[in-house]
Amino acid sequence: MSTGHKYYKELEKPIIFIGNPRSGTSVISEIVMRHRHIGFASQFQNRYPNNRNLNYIRRLIDNRFWRIHGQKKQLNKVSFINRIVFRTSENYGMWREITESEIDFSRGFLLDTGASDESVAFLRSYFRDIVRKQGKRRLAFKTTGPSRIEFLLSIFPDAQFVRIHRKPIPTVSSLLKSSFWEPLGEKQLWWTGAYSDEEKHWAQANQNDPVAMTAFQIKKVADVTDYEIDKMKADVFDVHYQDFVQDSEDTIRKILEYTGLPEDKGCMSYFIKNKIYNRNKKDEEYFEAKDLETIKFINSKENPYLASHS
């Protein structure tokens, strides 16, 4: 255990959202992070990672007189000021700047890896400043793909994780329709540091099958997350995307209850101006039979290509 855990009230039980990309992490975390107590690293922190004072700006747009929230542009329309309003972001540029040179936060699984004492001290001070300068009480952020639980717990030992689950078939379909995924993971293993030699050979042989490659990687993320949760005995609340689209407000209330946050109008007002779209369909509406068989096989217990951790 690192000795760099200087106590900061703002870093008690930080809330960390994890899950595969295109699984609902953005919309769910975004709603929760509208809470009046929550401070988060915004898109501005990603652009200017060494400037913590820019967080004072949030006080001007989110205070007891008025509350203006930014949001990721997805299916719902966003206001013309959305570009200049604080909104949550995964901030891989920020993480690259503030972590040690040997830590690849954006691509690495960071299995069996913790931050050094020096890095822990710096990172805790860094995130404390973000929360404090925004005039908030508690930290929250999200990261998709590898959960990096052991690494994050070395910095935030009492973190609460909210894990978003989505069924493999719609997740694979959504990823394949995303422009960002094609150059990243359709023909290669995008995330690094957790694959066995056998798995790498399998990926090399299947690099021209984007369905197989995508299903293989999201399955690996899920398996490694299970391994890290068990190893670290992490405090995790599981949320299923299907439950969220069926009763969104109830799901958010359960997350607030789990994290000990009081109900907040900022969270619930999201549903007044935004519609939650249920885009889940029957399996055969996503892929042809051959591709469905591939995805189901990769996610089956009989799949010999995904090595288990022990």
Side-chain angles (χ1 to χ4, degrees), residues 165-184:
H165 300 261
R166 191 181 185 190
K167 294 178 180 179
I169 290 171
T171 305
V172 172
S173 174
S174 185
L175 263 174
L176 290 173
K177 291 176 181 177
S178 302
S179 59
F180 73 86
W181 183 245
E182 180 180 1
L184 303 185

Side-chain angles (χ1 to χ4, degrees), residues 55-259:
N55 288 284
Y56 284 120
I57 299 172
R58 190 175 176 207
R59 294 173 180 248
L60 301 177
I61 58 176
D62 186 358
N63 51 58
R64 65 191 181 93
F65 299 107
W66 55 74
R67 305 190 63 194
I68 303 174
H69 306 283
Q71 65 188 75
K72 183 177 179 180
K73 186 177 181 181
Q74 298 188 89
L75 297 178
N76 289 293
K77 294 181 179 179
V78 297
S79 70
F80 70 96
I81 64 170
N82 192 64
R83 291 182 62 185
I84 61 173
V85 176
F86 274 60
R87 61 182 185 275
T88 65
S89 173
E90 290 182 62
N91 294 333
Y92 290 125
M94 177 198 75
W95 281 104
R96 183 169 54 250
E97 183 69 23
I98 67 176
T99 51
E100 298 159 289
S101 59
E102 64 270 22
I103 297 296
D104 186 353
F105 193 89
S106 62
R107 294 189 65 180
F109 275 90
L110 303 184
L111 262 180
D112 307 314
T113 300
S116 69
D117 289 346
E118 182 180 3
S119 183
V120 167
F122 170 76
L123 291 169
R124 287 181 65 81
S125 173
Y126 185 91
F127 283 101
R128 181 279 312 267
D129 283 354
I130 288 175
V131 179
R132 182 175 292 181
K133 291 179 179 183
Q134 289 181 14
K136 303 300 180 181
R137 301 182 187 178
R138 193 169 173 189
L139 173 67
F141 60 88
K142 80 150 183 163
T143 177
T144 58
S147 58
R148 309 166 181 93
I149 286 175
E150 184 165 355
F151 180 78
L152 291 170
L153 283 175
S154 74
I155 306 164
F156 310 108
D158 59 347
Q160 293 183 298
F161 294 89
V162 178
R163 183 183 183 184
I164 315 301
H165 300 261
R166 191 181 185 190
K167 294 178 180 179
I169 290 171
T171 305
V172 172
S173 174
S174 185
L175 263 174
L176 290 173
K177 291 176 181 177
S178 302
S179 59
F180 73 86
W181 183 245
E182 180 180 1
L184 303 185
E186 283 194 12
K187 294 185 178 182
Q188 64 176 336
L189 297 176
W190 174 245
W191 299 295
T192 62
Y195 289 100
S196 66
D197 289 339
E198 183 184 20
E199 291 170 326
K200 292 175 183 177
H201 291 319
W202 182 93
Q204 183 69 25
N206 289 272
Q207 62 181 341
N208 292 321
D209 186 341
V211 171
M213 287 293 291
T214 302
F216 189 70
Q217 291 178 83
I218 67 167
K219 172 62 172 170
K220 185 66 174 182
V221 166
D223 286 352
V224 173
T225 300
D226 289 339
Y227 163 76
E228 287 205 293
I229 289 171
D230 183 64
K231 177 185 178 182
M232 303 304 297
K233 308 303 179 191
D235 184 0
V236 179
F237 183 70
D238 292 294
V239 175
H240 293 271
Y241 182 69
Q242 183 63 35
D243 294 337
F244 171 72
V245 296
Q246 290 179 349
D247 194 337
S248 304
E249 293 187 34
D250 181 65
T251 298
I252 297 302
R253 288 191 176 96
K254 287 177 178 176
I255 295 173
L256 296 181
E257 181 179 1
Y258 160 72
T259 55

